[in-house]
Amino acid sequence: MKQILWAVLCLGGMLVLPSLSVMAQQEFMPLPVHKGALLVASPSLEDPNFTQTVLLIVDHGPRGTIGLILNRPTNVLLAEVLQDLPMLKQTNHRLFGGGPVDRTQLVLLFRLRQILPDARHIANGIYVGTPTVLERVIAGLKPNEAFRAFAGFAAWAPGQLDYEMRQGSWGVLSSSTFDIFDKNPETFWSDGIGVLQAPRTISHE
């Protein structure tokens, strides 16, 4: 992955993903999807692109939905991808697989204490930003600030995710359910399933 192009998320260029090959049973109540929500894959969801995944919804509206898979770290170091940022050298920040759509695009997710130019707010102090934002954050990282980088993203055409929700393929949680930056990504899915299957669990918004 020698060249990864930055592209601001654009719903107009969103690709349509194939329908699920095996439809999940209704294991979760269909709850509204919104920007900033966490999607937790049903245990019966067999699509290999999304098996046991947790996604952050970064955009949702009439033109469709875009999300980032949060729990698929790769073995690629971010320093290998953004070689123009010398402050990344000798760091162990890893690139995450954000989804099956356009894996040549780099998407940067931040937890910021204050708004920076080129950063777009998602929810609860979580932002999507550019490599310029990353450079500023690394140069003066403040307490409680953090970042993660993702190659690619997930995308649904208008109505597609709503259909999957009605089939029980996804559960919905608030982005504040757990810390997506400090918590071990390997536990995201099991923890999310545990919350969704707790007695009387409904939307956490």
Side-chain angles (χ1 to χ4, degrees):
M1 197 173 296
K2 296 181 179 178
Q3 277 191 324
I4 289 191
L5 304 178
W6 167 260
V8 176
L9 294 176
C10 177
L11 281 170
M14 186 180 63
L15 301 179
V16 178
L17 294 182
S19 300
L20 296 178
S21 57
V22 178
M23 203 57 67
Q25 297 177 351
Q26 291 192 4
E27 298 182 64
F28 303 129
M29 290 296 293
L31 299 173
V33 177
H34 54 276
K35 185 174 76 170
L38 295 175
L39 285 189
V40 182
S42 163
S44 62
L45 182 58
E46 297 181 357
D47 182 339
N49 289 315
F50 298 109
T51 301
Q52 296 189 359
T53 57
V54 175
L55 292 92
L56 175 69
I57 299 299
V58 298
D59 216 333
H60 179 69
R63 293 181 293 173
T65 305
I66 287 180
L68 292 172
I69 297 175
L70 299 174
N71 59 332
R72 286 193 173 169
T74 74
N75 292 323
V76 178
L77 292 176
L78 190 54
E80 299 172 6
V81 175
L82 295 175
Q83 298 181 8
D84 294 336
L85 296 183
M87 63 275 295
L88 285 173
K89 292 181 179 179
Q90 309 304 320
T91 67
N92 60 357
H93 298 293
R94 295 196 174 274
L95 186 68
F96 282 69
V101 179
D102 206 344
R103 292 187 176 99
T104 62
Q105 291 193 13
L106 181 68
V107 183
L108 295 167
L109 202 62
F110 298 89
R111 181 178 62 203
L112 300 175
R113 294 181 59 184
Q114 63 182 19
I115 299 176
L116 293 175
D118 300 324
R120 182 162 62 91
H121 187 245
I122 303 301
N124 300 321
I126 300 172
Y127 294 80
V128 170
T130 68
T132 302
V133 177
L134 177 61
E135 190 170 8
R136 293 178 183 177
V137 169
I138 294 175
L141 197 64
K142 298 179 177 62
N144 296 323
E145 290 189 335
F147 65 89
R148 285 209 170 137
F150 302 84
F153 53 92
W156 291 265
Q160 184 180 4
L161 182 55
D162 291 336
Y163 174 74
E164 294 179 13
M165 294 295 298
R166 290 193 298 271
Q167 302 303 309
S169 300
W170 302 96
V172 180
L173 296 173
S174 166
S175 60
S176 61
T177 303
F178 46 77
D179 192 320
I180 64 175
F181 292 96
D182 294 336
K183 191 176 180 63
N184 184 351
E186 293 183 0
T187 71
F188 281 4
W189 185 75
S190 58
D191 289 348
I193 290 294
V195 173
L196 286 165
Q197 293 180 341
R200 302 173 64 87
T201 291
I202 57 175
S203 174
H204 278 243
E205 284 296 330

